[in-house]
Amino acid sequence: MAESVQRENKIAALYPLTKFYMAIAIAAAAVILPGIPMKAGCFVIVNLLAFASGVYKIFVRRVKNSVGVLFLILVIIQTFFTAGDTVLFSFWIFTAKLEGLLFALKLGFILANVGGCLIWFFAVTTEKDFVLALEKKGLSPKASYVVLSTLQMVPVLKKRSEVIMNAQRARGVETEGSLLVRAKVFIPTLVPLVLSAIQGTEERALTLEARGFSVETKSTHLYDIEKKPVDNAVTAVTAIVFGLIIIGRVVVWFVLR
């Protein structure tokens, strides 16, 4: 998906590290800026960036299924279980406090911004492009491989688990139904998944050795990416805006002391 978006959208086609700097700057700004409205504003910017990048549907779905769930849980727990004096309403033995709600929203928007920035970045950037950019920046090939393997681990394990589940169904094992039924099939699914992951690690190690991965020579690439003048401009603007945010935050802190 990221590759097709990169070919069609100018924002998604930016150099991987340029997009990474943008994501880090927005996430850091959400942490630095005070108040719930400013943190919510940063999240609006992330949504606008995802919309302009052509990945808004994917962005919303992933945010809803991950960060959104954590945000909701955080709001419920903090609202009902944080000590405070201002009572919003009471439900059975629970009492909602305004102080808890405000703290939950503040922390929740920080979580939403950090998670949203990462989700947007990996929606518009392939893992191989990101790791290649890091390697061209000076990261060693061995470290690059570790990073790439880590980023690709979850999708690979997800595909393998689906294959194992289909194989279990073909053998007559009941994999759908109540929580108890799913718990019974957990171990028969987990063991082959772990063993296949171990076997895959050994196969990748042999493949890398056969291709001279450990040879101490300069690496070459069949696939390459290059920085463009627009990347330097976007990086400079991002650095200037983030610098102004830090300066403004420091000035406000000194004024309010």
Side-chain angles (χ1 to χ4, degrees):
M1 177 63 191
E3 291 183 354
S4 61
V5 171
Q6 285 179 340
R7 290 193 295 266
E8 300 172 359
N9 188 277
K10 292 183 179 180
I11 297 178
L14 292 171
Y15 194 68
L17 290 184
T18 303
K19 292 178 284 186
F20 184 69
Y21 297 149
M22 293 170 62
I24 293 298
I26 297 174
V31 177
I32 295 171
L33 291 173
I36 296 174
M38 289 189 177
K39 298 181 187 301
C42 290
F43 188 63
V44 172
I45 293 175
V46 178
N47 279 265
L48 293 176
L49 191 59
F51 180 79
S53 302
V55 294
Y56 193 66
K57 290 183 179 180
I58 296 175
F59 174 81
V60 170
R61 184 176 70 250
R62 292 179 181 177
V63 168
K64 180 183 67 175
N65 295 336
S66 55
V67 180
V69 176
L70 295 177
F71 187 95
L72 182 61
I73 294 173
L74 180 64
V75 169
I76 294 174
I77 293 176
Q78 292 295 334
T79 302
F80 286 101
F81 295 100
T82 299
D85 299 324
T86 307
V87 177
L88 295 175
F89 63 89
S90 297
F91 173 73
W92 192 32
I93 61 173
F94 303 105
T95 303
K97 315 286 196 319
L98 178 61
E99 292 82 359
L101 177 61
L102 294 177
F103 178 76
L105 291 176
K106 183 178 179 180
L107 191 60
F109 275 117
I110 292 176
L111 175 65
N113 278 287
V114 174
C117 287
L118 291 176
I119 290 172
W120 167 78
F121 174 72
F122 285 108
V124 296
T125 310
T126 60
E127 293 87 353
K128 66 176 182 180
D129 285 353
F130 180 50
V131 174
L132 179 57
L134 290 177
E135 188 173 336
K136 295 181 72 172
K137 195 70 176 178
L139 190 67
S140 68
K142 293 182 180 179
S144 301
Y145 176 73
V146 172
V147 174
L148 182 60
S149 299
T150 304
L151 293 175
Q152 293 180 338
M153 183 178 297
V154 174
V156 170
L157 290 179
K158 181 180 179 182
K159 290 181 180 179
R160 287 182 179 174
S161 64
E162 292 175 354
V163 172
I164 293 171
M165 292 292 286
N166 291 332
Q168 298 285 13
R169 293 191 191 99
R171 294 185 177 93
V173 178
E174 189 175 0
T175 59
E176 297 179 353
S178 64
L179 183 62
L180 182 60
V181 172
R182 296 185 180 183
K184 288 181 180 179
V185 79
F186 178 73
I187 298 299
T189 303
L190 183 63
V191 173
L193 182 63
V194 174
L195 292 177
S196 63
I198 296 174
Q199 183 181 3
T201 302
E202 183 179 0
E203 291 176 354
R204 285 196 297 271
L206 293 174
T207 302
L208 291 174
E209 287 297 327
R211 295 180 178 180
F213 184 76
S214 59
V215 176
E216 298 295 333
T217 57
K218 186 177 180 180
S219 301
T220 58
H221 303 279
L222 293 175
Y223 173 80
D224 199 7
I225 51 177
E226 294 293 340
K227 230 178 180 183
K228 301 176 182 177
V230 66
D231 293 296
N232 296 326
V234 172
T235 302
V237 171
T238 302
I240 292 172
V241 173
F242 185 66
L244 291 175
I245 291 174
I246 294 178
I247 294 172
R249 187 71 180 95
V250 171
V251 170
V252 171
W253 182 77
F254 274 108
V255 170
L256 297 178
R257 284 184 63 184

